[in-house]
Amino acid sequence: MSEFALPLAMAALTMGGIIIGYRVGLVLAGTAALFILVSDLPAAFFKLIVSRIYANILSNWLFVAIPMFIFMGLILEKSGVAERALRGAQQALGGTPGGMGISVLVVGLLLAASSGVVGASVVLLALLALPRMTEAGFDAATGAGLVAASGTMAILVPPSVMLIVLGDQLQTSVPAMFAGAIGPGLLLVALYAVYILWRARGLPRQARDPDAARGAVLLAVDVAPLVILIVCVLGSIVGGIATPTEASGLGAFGAVIVTMIYRRFSLAMLMDAARDTVATTAMVALVIIGATCFAAVFRGVGGDEMIQSALGSFGHAPWAVMAVVMLSVFVLGFFLDWLEITLILIPIFAPVIAALDFGNGLAGQELLIWFGVLVAVNLQTSFLTPPFGFALFYVRGAVGDRVSSREIYRGVLPFIALQLFALGLLMAAPGLITGF
């Protein structure tokens, strides 16, 4: 155990700094710098870290897609285009309590596929949909849970920033990752829909809206531009017409065009979205740089050997190794953000998983894509699990005292269970991922 003292101390110090509340990127980089000094790593290690930062981040053309997709989502949110789509869907599908719940799911899926920004999706759904769900007869806990779960689909459904980072870390095709996430995304929507319809049983039907006859027309007018934008962006990526970076530029430009079609474009809105994009991108870049430093030093002091030794204790039991990996990702999601987990653990876990035979006919890139999407579904739960589930904070901040933290926590529990159930199905039936 003494040979692994440094990596264990490094992991403990990092976890402690994050829990205390220090900036994650600074904790990761600071811990790496400290352990370079206290270990026997050569001074040339600094040069290695600098070269990795440059090669993995500053010259990585794929990462250009991250700010572009963030910008696309912010444009749709700040211009009111996303809000208009939500209202149109609610009016078209909200004649019954179940229809109201389904409308929240539909718009959550559209927001996820058109923006990929969890915060914007959750806050928008909380402000607009939660009051309507309460009026339809749903209790506050169920409404808050549905809003939080629907909003977190933005991290899984393409174009997802998480899938871009995962594809880079696994050295797999990002378009293939996007295609593989389509099936799991639809599976989660179906599971959520079944649950919300079950919860809606027995609730009284609402009075017919006098404008409901125009619902289908309003739905087409309000949602069609978003659907066209999604088809253009995702279709160009999955179809091999454009790279993710090129498609992200198309998406950002298309979002601006959509605001012009709805006469919601303004220079002030554009600059506001640009400023928020810069701030968000800087945060992501800081975490990526810090995680790159941490991962390099962690490997240098024997951290990867420690983890591989622990996983190797299961011998030739691939499903036991997979269970330990998935359990580790799930538990760490209670305390860490998906970005830190992806950047630190995936490069260590991936070679171990790639060398195993799960008896499902998958190997090579196909196996890594399956594994990557499983990790993405698992990490989606990190947005809902206390104490640091960001979606919980977004809902609480948006609705204030109208819904208590206890009700929010209680409301997300069934959706966490559904996500874990979906994870089990995807492990047992890899075709739901590789068949798309």
Side-chain angles (χ1 to χ4, degrees):
M1 184 62 69
S2 59
E3 62 179 314
F4 297 137
L6 282 179
L8 286 173
M10 194 173 178
L13 181 61
T14 302
M15 183 68 72
I18 293 173
I19 292 176
I20 289 173
Y22 287 104
R23 295 282 184 182
V24 172
L26 299 179
V27 170
L28 293 170
T31 303
L34 176 62
F35 276 80
I36 284 181
L37 298 176
V38 301
S39 67
D40 57 355
L41 293 174
F45 216 76
F46 280 106
K47 182 178 179 180
L48 173 64
I49 291 177
V50 171
S51 65
R52 285 194 178 188
I53 291 173
Y54 181 79
N56 293 346
I57 304 168
L58 301 182
S59 63
N60 191 333
W61 186 246
L62 178 63
F63 281 166
V64 176
I66 294 177
M68 299 299 282
F69 280 132
I70 292 173
F71 179 73
M72 181 178 77
L74 289 172
I75 285 288
L76 295 174
E77 186 260 330
K78 292 181 178 296
S79 65
V81 170
E83 177 182 345
R84 178 169 179 166
L86 177 60
R87 293 188 184 279
Q90 285 183 336
Q91 188 164 358
L93 303 173
T96 64
M100 176 60 64
I102 297 301
S103 72
V104 176
L105 273 176
V106 169
V107 176
L109 181 62
L110 288 175
L111 291 177
S114 60
S115 69
V117 182
V118 170
S121 299
V122 173
V123 170
L124 184 61
L125 289 171
L127 290 174
L128 298 180
L130 195 53
R132 297 287 298 275
M133 288 195 68
T134 303
E135 292 174 5
F138 289 101
D139 61 275
T142 300
L146 178 63
V147 164
S150 299
T152 58
M153 288 193 297
I155 205 64
L156 174 65
V157 175
S160 162
V161 172
M162 180 194 289
L163 295 177
I164 294 174
V165 177
L166 272 170
D168 177 75
Q169 294 299 305
L170 291 169
Q171 297 296 299
T172 60
S173 164
V174 172
M177 291 288 291
F178 280 5
I182 294 175
L186 296 177
L187 174 63
L188 283 174
V189 170
L191 292 174
Y192 294 165
V194 170
Y195 172 72
I196 207 65
L197 289 174
W198 178 76
R199 293 289 299 178
R201 72 193 192 288
L203 294 179
R205 183 184 179 91
Q206 293 178 292
R208 184 71 175 173
D209 191 325
D211 292 328
R214 300 166 51 232
V217 176
L218 288 173
L219 181 63
V221 171
D222 293 337
V223 175
L226 279 182
V227 174
I228 294 172
L229 183 62
I230 293 167
V231 170
C232 290
V233 173
L234 293 186
S236 63
I237 296 174
V238 177
I241 300 173
T243 66
T245 302
E246 294 166 341
S248 68
L250 173 66
F253 178 73
V256 174
I257 296 300
V258 169
T259 64
M260 292 179 176
I261 293 174
Y262 285 137
R263 299 182 180 179
R264 299 291 185 93
F265 177 83
S266 70
L267 187 59
M269 179 272 297
L270 185 68
M271 294 304 296
D272 190 22
R275 280 191 295 268
D276 285 357
T277 299
V278 170
T280 303
T281 304
M283 181 273 293
V284 172
L286 178 62
V287 173
I288 293 176
I289 291 173
T292 300
C293 298
F294 180 91
V297 178
F298 189 70
R299 288 179 175 177
V301 299
D304 56 344
E305 296 174 3
M306 178 185 71
I307 293 177
Q308 290 174 7
S309 175
L311 294 176
S313 64
F314 293 94
H316 299 288
W319 286 107
V321 174
M322 178 67 82
V324 171
V325 170
M326 289 298 156
L327 181 61
S328 301
V329 171
F330 177 72
V331 172
L332 287 173
F334 282 75
F335 308 100
L336 299 179
D337 189 20
W338 67 267
L339 191 55
E340 298 94 68
I341 297 174
T342 300
L343 294 171
I344 296 171
L345 293 184
I346 296 307
I348 298 174
F349 287 154
V352 177
I353 296 296
L356 298 175
D357 180 8
F358 293 90
N360 52 17
L362 300 182
Q365 288 289 298
E366 200 172 42
L367 174 62
L368 288 177
I369 290 169
W370 173 63
F371 172 65
V373 175
L374 289 179
V375 171
V377 174
N378 197 341
L379 285 174
Q380 188 184 354
T381 63
S382 68
F383 285 85
L384 300 178
T385 50
F388 301 127
F390 288 106
L392 309 179
F393 297 144
Y394 293 142
V395 174
R396 189 76 170 90
V399 301
D401 295 331
R402 287 176 290 170
V403 182
S404 67
S405 296
R406 181 185 295 273
E407 288 176 313
I408 296 174
Y409 291 158
R410 181 162 53 87
V412 299
L413 288 178
F415 293 96
I416 295 174
L418 289 173
Q419 289 175 341
L420 295 177
F421 177 70
L423 182 63
L425 286 179
L426 295 170
M427 293 172 68
L432 293 172
I433 296 173
T434 59
F436 278 82

